[in-house]
Amino acid sequence: MDHGVMPTLIVEVHVPLLAAPDGTYPWIDTAEDFLAGLEQDTDGAEDYDDGEQHGDVYLFFLTGTHLAPVLAAASHLATLDGIPPGAFAMITDDDAEEFGLGRRIELPVT
């Protein structure tokens, strides 16, 4: 019987890496500011790790004790002003060996 630690819930938010007309990505700062303000105690979700570019998407990482509030935060992130359309979430955990593994959820969740 394995008495190890349970994996940590991770929701990867995949946002198409689309630049503003001036070639910058101001929406990344908008999303990071939103994530920095989350607190698991009050929001049910929190920022898990720094975002990063992965191919043609930018990834943001959220965690929490329960899936519903984490998906709600992911949906909120996907609908912030300036966030490119087409974001989706991947439900995974910290044992995943690479990005993009798990169950795909279209954002925003309705």
XYZ file of all heavy atoms in Angstrom:
830
model
N 0.845 -1.177 0.000
C 0.000 0.000 0.000
C 0.889 1.238 0.000
O 1.776 1.367 0.809
C -0.908 -0.031 1.232
C -1.829 1.163 1.311
S -2.862 1.190 2.778
C -4.077 -0.019 2.353
N 0.586 2.152 -0.917
C 1.376 3.379 -1.030
C 0.786 4.445 -0.101
O -0.373 4.808 -0.212
C 1.358 3.865 -2.483
C 2.181 5.109 -2.705
O 2.908 5.516 -1.777
O 2.113 5.674 -3.800
N 1.599 4.930 0.812
C 1.162 5.991 1.726
C 1.791 7.323 1.350
O 1.961 8.192 2.193
C 1.530 5.630 3.175
C 0.770 4.445 3.672
N -0.544 4.509 4.019
C 1.153 3.156 3.858
C -0.947 3.313 4.414
N 0.058 2.480 4.312
N 2.140 7.463 0.081
C 2.775 8.690 -0.389
C 1.802 9.854 -0.401
O 0.607 9.727 -0.150
N 2.316 10.985 -0.715
C 1.541 12.218 -0.775
C 0.704 12.204 -2.061
O 1.180 11.827 -3.122
C 2.488 13.437 -0.749
C 1.727 14.722 -0.916
C 3.305 13.439 0.526
N -0.541 12.627 -1.932
C -1.423 12.728 -3.099
C -0.893 13.816 -4.033
O -0.400 14.842 -3.568
C -2.845 13.097 -2.667
C -3.546 12.032 -1.861
S -4.024 10.620 -2.855
C -5.226 11.341 -3.938
N -1.016 13.598 -5.347
C -0.593 14.640 -6.286
C -1.407 15.914 -6.088
O -2.563 15.878 -5.679
C -0.881 14.037 -7.659
C -1.062 12.580 -7.432
C -1.523 12.409 -6.016
N -0.799 17.035 -6.389
C -1.446 18.333 -6.290
C -2.225 18.616 -7.569
O -1.678 18.471 -8.666
C -0.394 19.436 -6.065
O 0.307 19.149 -4.850
C -1.021 20.807 -5.978
N -3.482 19.033 -7.427
C -4.304 19.420 -8.566
C -3.669 20.618 -9.264
O -3.313 21.608 -8.616
C -5.712 19.803 -8.090
C -6.605 20.511 -9.111
C -7.032 19.531 -10.200
C -7.807 21.121 -8.420
N -3.530 20.528 -10.574
C -3.031 21.632 -11.390
C -4.002 21.834 -12.547
O -4.419 20.869 -13.185
C -1.628 21.348 -11.979
C -0.615 20.995 -10.902
C -1.150 22.510 -12.853
C -0.271 22.121 -9.977
N -4.359 23.072 -12.804
C -5.103 23.413 -14.006
C -4.200 24.319 -14.833
O -3.811 25.395 -14.383
C -6.447 24.092 -13.682
C -7.104 24.614 -14.949
C -7.381 23.118 -12.966
N -3.831 23.819 -15.999
C -3.039 24.613 -16.945
C -4.021 25.412 -17.789
O -4.968 24.853 -18.351
C -2.249 23.720 -17.898
C -1.300 22.766 -17.268
C -0.742 21.759 -18.270
O -1.155 21.739 -19.457
O 0.106 20.966 -17.848
N -3.806 26.702 -17.896
C -4.620 27.539 -18.773
C -3.764 27.846 -19.998
O -2.713 28.486 -19.888
C -5.088 28.829 -18.082
C -5.920 29.678 -19.047
C -5.890 28.499 -16.822
N -4.193 27.346 -21.147
C -3.483 27.520 -22.411
C -4.128 28.683 -23.158
O -5.306 28.619 -23.511
C -3.606 26.254 -23.268
C -2.936 25.062 -22.676
N -1.945 24.374 -23.343
C -3.108 24.410 -21.490
C -1.534 23.359 -22.595
N -2.232 23.356 -21.471
N -3.361 29.753 -23.379
C -3.860 30.942 -24.072
C -3.058 31.098 -25.362
O -1.820 31.088 -25.329
C -3.710 32.210 -23.201
C -4.221 33.428 -23.943
C -4.450 32.039 -21.869
N -3.758 31.238 -26.514
C -3.030 31.448 -27.768
C -2.069 32.632 -27.645
O -2.435 33.692 -27.136
C -4.134 31.735 -28.783
C -5.359 31.092 -28.199
C -5.207 31.243 -26.708
N -0.853 32.443 -28.096
C 0.190 33.459 -27.970
C 0.051 34.457 -29.115
O 0.728 34.378 -30.135
C 1.568 32.797 -27.979
C 2.747 33.675 -27.602
C 2.584 34.235 -26.189
C 4.042 32.886 -27.681
N -0.881 35.400 -28.932
C -1.148 36.419 -29.936
C -0.674 37.769 -29.430
O -1.019 38.183 -28.326
C -2.646 36.474 -30.249
C -3.251 35.175 -30.791
C -4.759 35.314 -30.945
C -2.601 34.795 -32.112
N 0.103 38.449 -30.262
C 0.657 39.753 -29.890
C -0.337 40.867 -30.177
O -1.193 40.749 -31.063
C 1.948 40.009 -30.665
N -0.208 41.936 -29.433
C -0.943 43.168 -29.708
C -0.382 43.768 -31.008
O 0.699 43.360 -31.468
C -0.769 44.140 -28.538
N -1.078 44.735 -31.600
C -0.581 45.338 -32.856
C 0.850 45.868 -32.766
O 1.570 45.888 -33.760
C -1.579 46.466 -33.124
C -2.846 45.999 -32.472
C -2.395 45.255 -31.239
N 1.282 46.265 -31.561
C 2.643 46.787 -31.432
C 3.677 45.681 -31.196
O 4.850 45.971 -30.939
C 2.713 47.838 -30.325
C 2.423 47.270 -28.943
O 2.139 46.057 -28.817
O 2.480 48.048 -27.974
N 3.241 44.423 -31.258
C 4.177 43.302 -31.109
C 4.430 42.875 -29.671
O 5.252 42.008 -29.416
N 3.739 43.479 -28.717
C 3.918 43.126 -27.306
C 2.788 42.199 -26.849
O 1.829 41.944 -27.579
C 3.957 44.380 -26.417
O 2.685 45.032 -26.497
C 5.079 45.322 -26.846
N 2.894 41.747 -25.627
C 1.918 40.830 -25.031
C 1.438 41.382 -23.689
O 1.646 40.766 -22.640
C 2.550 39.442 -24.828
C 3.050 38.832 -26.110
C 4.352 39.078 -26.554
C 2.233 38.025 -26.883
C 4.811 38.530 -27.741
C 2.679 37.471 -28.066
C 3.976 37.729 -28.489
O 4.421 37.177 -29.662
N 0.762 42.532 -23.691
C 0.356 43.143 -22.426
C -0.637 42.283 -21.644
O -0.728 42.385 -20.418
C -0.269 44.476 -22.841
C -0.691 44.270 -24.253
C 0.318 43.317 -24.842
N -1.349 41.424 -22.302
C -2.334 40.564 -21.635
C -1.669 39.569 -20.685
O -2.313 39.113 -19.738
C -3.221 39.852 -22.656
C -2.481 39.052 -23.686
C -2.078 39.480 -24.916
C -2.056 37.695 -23.576
N -1.423 38.463 -25.574
C -1.398 37.353 -24.771
C -2.166 36.731 -22.584
C -0.860 36.090 -25.003
C -1.620 35.469 -22.813
C -0.981 35.164 -24.015
N -0.399 39.260 -20.907
C 0.306 38.352 -19.986
C 0.407 39.012 -18.610
O 0.137 38.374 -17.590
C 1.687 37.951 -20.538
C 1.508 37.066 -21.786
C 2.508 37.233 -19.467
C 2.803 36.727 -22.512
N 0.762 40.295 -18.577
C 0.830 41.012 -17.299
C -0.548 41.096 -16.649
O -0.677 40.961 -15.427
C 1.408 42.412 -17.486
C 2.892 42.394 -17.809
O 3.574 41.413 -17.452
O 3.365 43.369 -18.417
N -1.586 41.324 -17.456
C -2.954 41.377 -16.932
C -3.306 40.063 -16.242
O -3.823 40.047 -15.122
C -3.954 41.668 -18.073
O -3.626 42.918 -18.670
C -5.381 41.663 -17.578
N -3.015 38.948 -16.907
C -3.312 37.629 -16.342
C -2.475 37.363 -15.093
O -2.986 36.846 -14.093
C -3.070 36.541 -17.390
N -1.194 37.713 -15.126
C -0.333 37.483 -13.960
C -0.772 38.322 -12.765
O -0.727 37.846 -11.627
C 1.129 37.726 -14.323
C 1.674 36.623 -15.215
C 3.107 36.845 -15.667
O 3.641 37.971 -15.508
O 3.683 35.884 -16.199
N -1.226 39.552 -13.010
C -1.743 40.389 -11.921
C -2.990 39.749 -11.308
O -3.150 39.725 -10.082
C -2.073 41.797 -12.409
C -0.831 42.621 -12.727
O 0.290 42.217 -12.343
O -0.984 43.669 -13.388
N -3.873 39.234 -12.153
C -5.071 38.556 -11.661
C -4.687 37.348 -10.798
O -5.195 37.169 -9.695
C -5.947 38.116 -12.842
C -7.015 37.143 -12.457
C -8.137 37.551 -11.749
C -6.900 35.808 -12.794
C -9.123 36.639 -11.380
C -7.879 34.887 -12.432
C -8.996 35.310 -11.723
N -3.770 36.531 -11.293
C -3.356 35.332 -10.554
C -2.677 35.688 -9.237
O -2.874 35.001 -8.233
C -2.427 34.475 -11.412
C -3.090 33.816 -12.619
C -2.034 33.137 -13.487
C -4.163 32.844 -12.197
N -1.899 36.749 -9.231
C -1.209 37.158 -8.002
C -2.201 37.566 -6.917
O -1.896 37.456 -5.726
C -0.241 38.307 -8.290
N -3.381 38.004 -7.322
C -4.385 38.419 -6.361
C -5.240 37.294 -5.809
O -6.015 37.493 -4.875
N -5.120 36.107 -6.384
C -5.911 34.972 -5.899
C -5.363 34.453 -4.582
O -4.154 34.426 -4.372
C -5.880 33.818 -6.911
C -6.625 34.003 -8.213
C -6.385 32.801 -9.117
C -8.115 34.190 -7.979
N -6.252 34.014 -3.724
C -5.860 33.381 -2.471
C -6.735 32.161 -2.276
O -7.959 32.270 -2.284
C -6.048 34.345 -1.294
C -5.138 35.543 -1.341
C -5.336 36.440 -0.133
O -5.748 35.935 0.923
O -5.077 37.636 -0.262
N -6.120 31.009 -2.097
C -6.880 29.777 -1.965
C -7.877 29.851 -0.816
O -8.983 29.330 -0.913
C -5.950 28.581 -1.788
C -6.689 27.262 -1.837
C -5.763 26.068 -1.913
O -4.583 26.203 -2.182
N -6.313 24.914 -1.681
N -7.518 30.548 0.253
C -8.415 30.641 1.408
C -9.722 31.353 1.080
O -10.771 31.008 1.610
C -7.738 31.375 2.565
C -6.569 30.597 3.142
O -6.469 29.377 2.885
O -5.748 31.201 3.843
N -9.658 32.364 0.212
C -10.859 33.134 -0.085
C -11.424 32.833 -1.464
O -12.631 32.848 -1.646
C -10.598 34.645 0.039
O -9.508 34.998 -0.810
C -10.269 35.037 1.462
N -10.578 32.567 -2.448
C -11.026 32.334 -3.816
C -11.178 30.851 -4.146
O -11.807 30.513 -5.137
C -10.044 32.958 -4.822
C -9.870 34.448 -4.620
O -10.886 35.156 -4.640
O -8.725 34.892 -4.439
N -10.560 29.992 -3.371
C -10.585 28.570 -3.661
C -9.565 28.148 -4.696
O -9.494 26.990 -5.084
N -8.779 29.104 -5.167
C -7.749 28.831 -6.174
C -6.584 29.763 -5.928
O -6.735 30.820 -5.318
C -8.299 29.056 -7.579
N -5.419 29.366 -6.406
C -4.254 30.240 -6.311
C -3.290 29.945 -7.442
O -3.359 28.895 -8.087
C -3.563 30.093 -4.957
C -2.947 28.747 -4.696
C -2.358 28.630 -3.290
O -2.151 29.645 -2.622
O -2.105 27.495 -2.882
N -2.421 30.892 -7.679
C -1.364 30.760 -8.674
C -0.433 29.636 -8.228
O -0.030 29.584 -7.071
C -0.614 32.095 -8.756
C 0.313 32.203 -9.932
O 0.263 31.347 -10.835
O 1.093 33.167 -9.952
N -0.107 28.726 -9.134
C 0.749 27.600 -8.771
C 2.215 27.857 -9.115
O 3.100 27.507 -8.359
C 0.274 26.318 -9.471
C 1.141 25.124 -9.180
C 1.056 24.476 -7.957
C 2.054 24.652 -10.113
C 1.859 23.380 -7.666
C 2.856 23.554 -9.835
C 2.753 22.929 -8.622
O 3.552 21.846 -8.345
N 2.461 28.447 -10.267
C 3.833 28.634 -10.741
C 3.835 29.771 -11.751
O 2.787 30.205 -12.212
C 4.326 27.335 -11.392
C 5.835 27.241 -11.497
O 6.533 28.192 -11.094
O 6.337 26.211 -11.983
N 5.022 30.242 -12.106
C 5.141 31.287 -13.118
C 4.643 30.772 -14.462
O 4.865 29.611 -14.813
C 6.599 31.724 -13.278
C 7.138 32.424 -12.048
O 6.330 32.982 -11.276
O 8.366 32.414 -11.852
N 3.992 31.647 -15.208
C 3.565 31.305 -16.556
C 4.765 31.181 -17.473
O 5.859 31.676 -17.175
N 4.538 30.511 -18.600
C 5.628 30.365 -19.568
C 5.096 30.057 -20.955
O 4.003 29.511 -21.109
C 6.605 29.281 -19.139
C 6.038 27.873 -19.062
C 7.073 26.882 -18.570
O 7.268 26.793 -17.346
O 7.678 26.213 -19.417
N 5.895 30.425 -21.950
C 5.559 30.114 -23.327
C 5.818 28.639 -23.571
O 6.820 28.078 -23.126
C 6.399 30.952 -24.283
C 6.047 30.690 -25.734
C 6.849 31.536 -26.699
O 7.475 32.520 -26.314
N 6.831 31.143 -27.954
N 4.885 28.020 -24.295
C 5.024 26.609 -24.681
C 4.470 26.486 -26.096
O 3.260 26.446 -26.296
C 4.267 25.703 -23.708
C 4.391 24.251 -24.003
N 5.572 23.565 -23.844
C 3.484 23.360 -24.454
C 5.379 22.304 -24.178
N 4.134 22.164 -24.552
N 5.383 26.500 -27.067
C 4.961 26.463 -28.462
C 4.191 27.728 -28.812
O 4.652 28.833 -28.563
N 2.964 27.542 -29.340
C 2.166 28.693 -29.769
C 1.135 29.126 -28.731
O 0.171 29.810 -29.060
C 1.499 28.395 -31.107
C 0.571 27.193 -31.049
O 0.522 26.496 -30.015
O -0.122 26.942 -32.055
N 1.343 28.715 -27.478
C 0.472 29.151 -26.386
C 1.315 29.665 -25.232
O 2.513 29.402 -25.149
C -0.454 28.015 -25.865
C -1.400 27.543 -26.946
C 0.334 26.874 -25.269
N 0.648 30.421 -24.353
C 1.257 30.832 -23.099
C 0.492 30.108 -22.014
O -0.746 30.070 -22.032
C 1.175 32.353 -22.910
C 2.151 32.845 -21.879
C 3.453 33.182 -22.232
C 1.794 32.945 -20.539
C 4.367 33.627 -21.289
C 2.694 33.387 -19.588
C 3.981 33.717 -19.969
O 4.897 34.146 -19.026
N 1.211 29.482 -21.098
C 0.596 28.685 -20.041
C 0.602 29.433 -18.718
O 1.615 30.021 -18.330
C 1.354 27.374 -19.841
C 1.396 26.407 -21.014
C 2.283 25.219 -20.669
C 0.006 25.952 -21.367
N -0.538 29.365 -18.038
C -0.674 29.833 -16.672
C -1.084 28.615 -15.848
O -1.768 27.720 -16.354
C -1.746 30.926 -16.569
C -1.438 32.143 -17.397
C -1.987 32.292 -18.654
C -0.587 33.121 -16.921
C -1.698 33.412 -19.425
C -0.286 34.247 -17.674
C -0.849 34.388 -18.933
N -0.684 28.585 -14.583
C -0.917 27.411 -13.747
C -1.667 27.801 -12.482
O -1.251 28.710 -11.768
C 0.416 26.765 -13.368
C 1.266 26.422 -14.557
C 2.237 27.308 -15.000
C 1.081 25.238 -15.241
C 3.022 27.006 -16.105
C 1.864 24.928 -16.347
C 2.831 25.815 -16.780
N -2.766 27.106 -12.217
C -3.567 27.335 -11.021
C -3.663 26.043 -10.233
O -3.570 24.945 -10.798
C -4.979 27.785 -11.392
C -5.084 29.139 -12.065
C -5.310 28.944 -13.539
C -6.209 29.904 -11.474
N -3.904 26.173 -8.948
C -4.098 25.022 -8.080
C -5.132 25.370 -7.027
O -5.520 26.533 -6.875
C -2.774 24.575 -7.418
O -2.972 23.308 -6.782
C -2.260 25.588 -6.428
N -5.561 24.361 -6.317
C -6.520 24.539 -5.230
C -6.914 23.173 -4.707
O -6.525 22.138 -5.245
N -7.688 23.182 -3.660
C -8.113 21.935 -3.041
C -9.224 21.264 -3.831
O -9.297 20.045 -3.907
C -8.582 22.212 -1.598
O -7.536 22.904 -0.914
C -8.886 20.929 -0.865
N -10.099 22.068 -4.433
C -11.248 21.538 -5.163
C -11.250 22.082 -6.585
O -10.899 23.240 -6.825
C -12.549 21.919 -4.456
C -12.606 21.418 -3.041
N -12.805 20.095 -2.733
C -12.446 22.056 -1.871
C -12.779 19.943 -1.419
N -12.552 21.131 -0.869
N -11.690 21.252 -7.529
C -11.638 21.600 -8.941
C -12.552 22.774 -9.310
O -12.157 23.651 -10.071
C -11.986 20.374 -9.788
C -11.951 20.561 -11.296
C -10.573 21.044 -11.762
C -12.349 19.272 -11.996
N -13.768 22.813 -8.797
C -14.741 23.831 -9.226
C -14.224 25.266 -9.069
O -14.291 26.046 -10.031
C -16.068 23.642 -8.495
N -13.689 25.656 -7.909
C -13.206 27.040 -7.810
C -11.964 27.303 -8.666
O -11.752 28.429 -9.124
C -12.919 27.237 -6.327
C -12.874 25.883 -5.724
C -13.671 24.981 -6.610
N -11.170 26.274 -8.906
C -9.991 26.467 -9.757
C -10.432 26.691 -11.201
O -9.918 27.572 -11.898
C -9.007 25.282 -9.631
C -7.799 25.473 -10.535
C -8.555 25.115 -8.183
N -11.418 25.921 -11.657
C -11.945 26.143 -13.005
C -12.653 27.488 -13.109
O -12.586 28.144 -14.159
C -12.895 25.015 -13.408
C -12.232 23.711 -13.814
C -13.277 22.659 -14.142
C -11.284 23.913 -14.990
N -13.316 27.925 -12.044
C -13.944 29.245 -12.059
C -12.888 30.336 -12.223
O -13.074 31.288 -12.996
C -14.753 29.463 -10.776
N -11.765 30.202 -11.529
C -10.674 31.176 -11.664
C -10.077 31.118 -13.071
O -9.763 32.159 -13.662
C -9.599 30.918 -10.610
N -9.930 29.923 -13.628
C -9.416 29.777 -14.994
C -10.361 30.444 -15.988
O -9.916 31.118 -16.929
C -9.221 28.302 -15.326
N -11.671 30.280 -15.777
C -12.662 30.923 -16.643
C -12.571 32.435 -16.549
O -12.649 33.139 -17.566
C -14.074 30.475 -16.247
O -14.265 29.122 -16.572
N -12.404 32.939 -15.332
C -12.270 34.382 -15.130
C -11.034 34.893 -15.863
O -11.088 35.910 -16.566
C -12.202 34.691 -13.641
C -12.289 36.147 -13.329
N -12.773 36.610 -12.142
C -11.945 37.261 -14.026
C -12.720 37.928 -12.141
N -12.213 38.344 -13.274
N -9.918 34.184 -15.720
C -8.681 34.571 -16.407
C -8.922 34.642 -17.912
O -8.511 35.600 -18.568
C -7.566 33.576 -16.091
C -6.175 33.909 -16.619
C -5.120 33.265 -15.742
C -5.986 33.475 -18.049
N -9.607 33.641 -18.470
C -9.819 33.562 -19.920
C -10.691 34.697 -20.445
O -10.654 34.989 -21.642
C -10.433 32.212 -20.284
N -11.468 35.334 -19.551
C -12.372 36.389 -19.998
C -11.908 37.792 -19.595
O -12.643 38.754 -19.795
C -13.801 36.140 -19.460
O -13.765 36.110 -18.034
C -14.371 34.840 -20.003
N -10.708 37.905 -19.057
C -10.167 39.230 -18.730
C -9.988 40.042 -20.006
O -9.713 39.488 -21.083
C -8.808 39.091 -18.026
C -8.801 38.475 -16.638
C -7.365 38.214 -16.185
C -9.513 39.384 -15.641
N -10.122 41.362 -19.889
C -9.917 42.236 -21.046
C -8.542 42.000 -21.653
O -7.537 41.961 -20.938
C -10.038 43.712 -20.645
C -11.474 44.143 -20.412
O -12.394 43.440 -20.877
O -11.673 45.178 -19.755
N -8.521 41.837 -22.968
C -7.259 41.699 -23.685
C -6.767 40.272 -23.850
O -5.852 40.029 -24.651
N -7.318 39.323 -23.115
C -6.873 37.926 -23.256
C -7.355 37.415 -24.614
O -8.546 37.535 -24.936
C -7.433 37.033 -22.122
C -6.990 37.545 -20.753
C -7.042 35.568 -22.334
C -5.504 37.457 -20.479
N -6.455 36.871 -25.431
C -6.867 36.373 -26.742
C -7.928 35.271 -26.622
O -7.899 34.471 -25.685
C -5.570 35.799 -27.330
C -4.477 36.509 -26.610
C -5.006 36.736 -25.224
N -8.865 35.231 -27.564
C -9.878 34.174 -27.542
C -9.248 32.815 -27.833
O -8.170 32.730 -28.427
C -10.843 34.581 -28.653
C -10.048 35.462 -29.558
C -9.021 36.143 -28.692
N -9.934 31.771 -27.399
C -9.478 30.415 -27.693
C -8.763 29.728 -26.553
O -8.184 28.658 -26.739
N -8.802 30.311 -25.352
C -8.137 29.687 -24.205
C -8.873 28.406 -23.809
O -10.084 28.291 -23.973
C -8.100 30.653 -23.024
N -8.116 27.470 -23.296
C -8.691 26.245 -22.754
C -7.859 25.805 -21.566
O -6.746 26.280 -21.359
C -8.785 25.128 -23.810
C -7.457 24.657 -24.329
C -6.790 23.585 -23.736
C -6.867 25.268 -25.421
C -5.567 23.144 -24.218
C -5.647 24.837 -25.911
C -4.993 23.766 -25.308
N -8.428 24.909 -20.773
C -7.738 24.404 -19.583
C -7.448 22.920 -19.751
O -8.199 22.204 -20.415
C -8.604 24.618 -18.343
N -6.366 22.495 -19.131
C -6.048 21.074 -19.018
C -5.996 20.759 -17.533
O -5.253 21.407 -16.784
C -4.708 20.742 -19.671
C -4.684 20.939 -21.170
S -5.831 19.903 -22.091
C -5.115 18.288 -21.871
N -6.808 19.788 -17.102
C -6.829 19.374 -15.712
C -5.803 18.269 -15.548
O -5.879 17.231 -16.201
C -8.219 18.878 -15.299
C -9.248 19.983 -15.514
C -8.212 18.412 -13.841
C -10.674 19.509 -15.410
N -4.830 18.507 -14.698
C -3.727 17.579 -14.527
C -3.277 17.619 -13.068
O -4.012 18.067 -12.199
C -2.594 17.926 -15.534
O -1.579 16.940 -15.474
C -2.030 19.302 -15.323
N -2.072 17.171 -12.808
C -1.515 17.261 -11.455
C -0.010 17.434 -11.551
O 0.565 17.410 -12.639
C -1.901 16.052 -10.595
C -1.409 14.736 -11.167
O -0.214 14.627 -11.527
O -2.219 13.791 -11.234
N 0.621 17.602 -10.403
C 2.055 17.888 -10.402
C 2.907 16.663 -10.695
O 4.134 16.762 -10.746
C 2.490 18.578 -9.115
C 2.243 17.743 -7.872
O 1.514 16.732 -7.934
O 2.776 18.113 -6.812
N 2.283 15.505 -10.936
C 3.020 14.312 -11.356
C 3.131 14.196 -12.877
O 3.837 13.332 -13.383
C 2.355 13.036 -10.819
C 2.621 12.808 -9.341
O 3.546 13.448 -8.789
O 1.905 11.987 -8.738
N 2.407 15.040 -13.619
C 2.426 14.978 -15.082
C 3.846 15.210 -15.587
O 4.551 16.083 -15.089
C 1.472 15.998 -15.676
N 4.222 14.425 -16.569
C 5.591 14.502 -17.087
C 5.785 15.594 -18.126
O 6.913 15.947 -18.449
C 6.001 13.143 -17.643
C 6.078 12.096 -16.548
C 6.615 10.769 -17.030
O 7.259 10.723 -18.094
O 6.382 9.781 -16.321
N 4.678 16.116 -18.668
C 4.786 17.202 -19.640
C 3.491 17.993 -19.646
O 2.474 17.561 -19.103
C 5.118 16.680 -21.038
C 4.113 15.702 -21.598
C 4.558 15.121 -22.926
O 5.248 14.103 -22.918
O 4.200 15.712 -23.959
N 3.520 19.159 -20.283
C 2.348 20.012 -20.378
C 1.333 19.397 -21.337
O 1.682 18.654 -22.240
C 2.705 21.408 -20.882
C 3.674 22.141 -19.995
C 4.787 22.763 -20.525
C 3.468 22.227 -18.630
C 5.672 23.449 -19.731
C 4.351 22.912 -17.808
C 5.455 23.520 -18.374
N 0.071 19.745 -21.134
C -0.964 19.349 -22.075
C -1.529 17.965 -21.867
O -2.301 17.494 -22.699
N -1.171 17.317 -20.778
C -1.720 15.998 -20.494
C -2.885 16.155 -19.526
O -2.844 16.980 -18.621
C -0.660 15.090 -19.876
C 0.578 14.825 -20.720
C 1.555 13.951 -19.957
C 0.199 14.168 -22.047
N -3.908 15.394 -19.701
C -5.057 15.462 -18.812
C -6.329 15.698 -19.584
O -6.394 15.499 -20.795
N -7.340 16.144 -18.881
C -8.653 16.370 -19.477
C -8.765 17.816 -19.924
O -8.522 18.747 -19.144
C -9.737 16.041 -18.447
C -11.133 16.138 -18.993
C -12.140 15.612 -17.997
N -12.050 16.384 -16.762
C -13.086 16.712 -16.014
N -14.288 16.308 -16.330
N -12.933 17.414 -14.914
N -9.175 18.016 -21.170
C -9.316 19.366 -21.749
C -10.698 19.920 -21.438
O -11.710 19.235 -21.600
C -9.082 19.325 -23.250
C -9.183 20.684 -23.900
C -8.933 20.600 -25.390
N -9.251 21.850 -26.035
C -8.499 22.415 -26.955
N -7.394 21.833 -27.367
N -8.864 23.554 -27.511
N -10.737 21.196 -21.026
C -11.970 21.902 -20.724
C -11.931 23.229 -21.481
O -10.976 23.998 -21.331
C -12.117 22.198 -19.210
C -12.036 20.921 -18.381
C -13.387 22.996 -18.937
C -13.222 20.007 -18.499
N -12.938 23.488 -22.295
C -13.017 24.772 -22.998
C -13.344 25.868 -21.991
O -14.110 25.649 -21.048
C -14.066 24.726 -24.097
C -13.763 23.721 -25.204
C -12.433 23.932 -25.897
O -12.074 25.099 -26.173
O -11.743 22.942 -26.185
N -12.752 27.029 -22.183
C -12.990 28.176 -21.297
C -13.672 29.291 -22.088
O -13.374 29.463 -23.275
C -11.665 28.686 -20.730
C -10.923 27.734 -19.810
C -9.579 28.325 -19.422
C -11.739 27.370 -18.587
N -14.550 30.039 -21.460
C -14.940 29.904 -20.065
C -15.898 28.733 -19.869
O -16.638 28.358 -20.758
C -15.626 31.244 -19.741
C -16.176 31.706 -21.053
C -15.201 31.202 -22.101
N -15.870 28.176 -18.655
C -16.780 27.107 -18.288
C -18.145 27.742 -18.060
O -18.247 28.781 -17.406
C -16.300 26.402 -16.989
C -17.305 25.373 -16.521
C -14.941 25.764 -17.205
N -19.161 27.156 -18.624
C -20.509 27.724 -18.459
C -21.369 26.873 -17.561
O -21.098 25.761 -17.279
C -21.213 27.865 -19.823
O -21.219 26.609 -20.491
C -20.528 28.897 -20.663
